Amino acid sequence: MKNHALTFLTSISLLLSGVIFAPAEAPAAFRDLFNGKDLTGWVDVNTSKETWSVRDGLLVCTGHPIGVMRSAEQFENFILHIEWRHMEAGGNSGVFAWSEGTVPEGRRLPKGMEVQMLELDWVKLRTKKGKTPPPIAYVHGELFGAGGLKATPDNPRGSRSKSLENRCKGKGEWNVYDVVCVDGVVKLSVNGKFVNGIRNVQYKKGYLCLESEGAEIHFRNLKIMELPPGITSPEQTAPLVK
């Protein structure tokens, strides 16, 4: 009887200490996508060894040739934090979410959800004499399906979604994007305020890509918080690169 009581008390002790029932998983948290030292975790797709480098803890892109490098892994539901600054007037770049990790022959950019990054002078430099300037929506976080990716814009400019407020800073100044990507919906915060969104995105899982598109751009504080997965079919997943 004494032994049975001891066994019972021991079991209760183990139960309460969490040995029998494991503790709950740790809450979601941000982790670095760029370590500030090298390009670990990133794979060049169609640029060059000289396109991407690390300088003073920053990820530096020369802008040449036009193309992308991708994350080594795919992501489904997540929050992406990324800080960027253009170093040339009218510079062009972007980050792709839920992207294919390859570029078809004859193209320079992949299929995926692009979050636009344009320097403020892009509009001025591309306005032809006597013509109406392009919409300022280009430069502050336009969202669109690149390479034929289908999506429904919240704030339509054709098939693209334009930001409702221009919050971007110009050449040499840092901008902060927080991109929430969940179940085929993307919401974009520019410098501390949500200003754009797009939904019904064709892919709900894929690679991240950073874009090289003709001008030097710097990145820092690339972080991701992965969220629980959803119901995502193979058709809604970008092909794995083998």
Side-chain angles (χ1 to χ4, degrees):
M1 186 71 177
K2 184 177 179 181
N3 289 338
H4 286 299
L6 181 59
T7 301
F8 174 75
L9 290 173
T10 301
S11 299
I12 293 296
S13 176
L14 290 172
L15 176 64
L16 294 175
S17 68
V19 174
I20 294 178
F21 286 127
E25 292 184 6
F30 279 101
R31 64 178 174 94
D32 292 332
L33 288 173
F34 168 58
N35 63 20
K37 299 176 182 179
D38 55 40
L39 300 179
T40 299
W42 294 91
V43 179
D44 180 54
V45 176
N46 62 335
T47 57
S48 71
K49 292 181 179 179
E50 292 74 34
T51 304
W52 306 93
S53 63
V54 180
R55 184 192 311 158
D56 299 325
L58 303 178
L59 176 54
V60 176
C61 174
T62 65
H64 304 282
I66 292 175
V68 296
M69 72 171 181
R70 65 168 174 84
S71 57
E73 58 186 306
Q74 289 193 341
F75 300 100
E76 186 175 349
N77 295 332
F78 58 89
I79 302 172
L80 174 68
H81 177 91
I82 182 169
E83 300 176 19
W84 58 275
R85 67 178 179 186
H86 274 295
M87 304 307 292
E88 302 176 33
N92 191 350
S93 186
V95 58
F96 288 72
W98 296 329
S99 176
E100 293 186 352
T102 58
V103 176
E105 187 175 351
R107 296 195 178 189
R108 295 186 289 188
L109 299 175
K111 184 176 182 178
M113 174 51 52
E114 182 168 353
V115 184
Q116 186 73 276
M117 297 170 174
L118 288 174
E119 201 280 327
L120 294 178
D121 281 340
W122 191 94
V123 169
K124 181 178 69 176
L125 294 174
R126 283 160 180 76
T127 299
K128 296 180 181 179
K129 189 175 181 179
K131 298 292 184 179
T132 302
I136 194 67
Y138 275 114
V139 302
H140 54 106
E142 194 167 51
L143 302 172
F144 58 95
L149 188 78
K150 296 178 181 179
T152 304
D154 287 359
N155 314 306
R157 189 182 75 79
S159 62
R160 299 183 175 210
S161 190
K162 61 184 179 181
S163 293
L164 296 179
E165 185 177 310
N166 185 4
R167 299 181 56 81
C168 271
K169 301 175 184 178
K171 181 180 69 173
E173 296 186 84
W174 286 103
N175 291 283
V176 178
Y177 277 4
D178 289 295
V179 191
V180 181
C181 300
V182 177
D183 196 33
V185 174
V186 178
K187 296 291 184 181
L188 172 65
S189 167
V190 177
N191 292 326
K193 188 175 183 179
F194 282 98
V195 293
N196 202 3
I198 200 165
R199 61 195 187 280
N200 300 326
V201 180
Q202 180 182 351
Y203 286 158
K204 300 197 294 185
K205 184 177 181 180
Y207 297 96
L208 294 172
C209 290
L210 295 177
E211 180 183 20
S212 167
E213 197 168 357
E216 183 174 333
I217 185 171
H218 299 171
F219 300 95
R220 70 180 184 186
N221 292 332
L222 277 72
K223 301 176 183 294
I224 194 166
M225 178 188 292
E226 294 187 76
L227 303 173
I231 302 172
T232 301
S233 68
E235 293 74 25
Q236 295 171 318
T237 302
L240 276 172
V241 179
K242 299 179 180 180

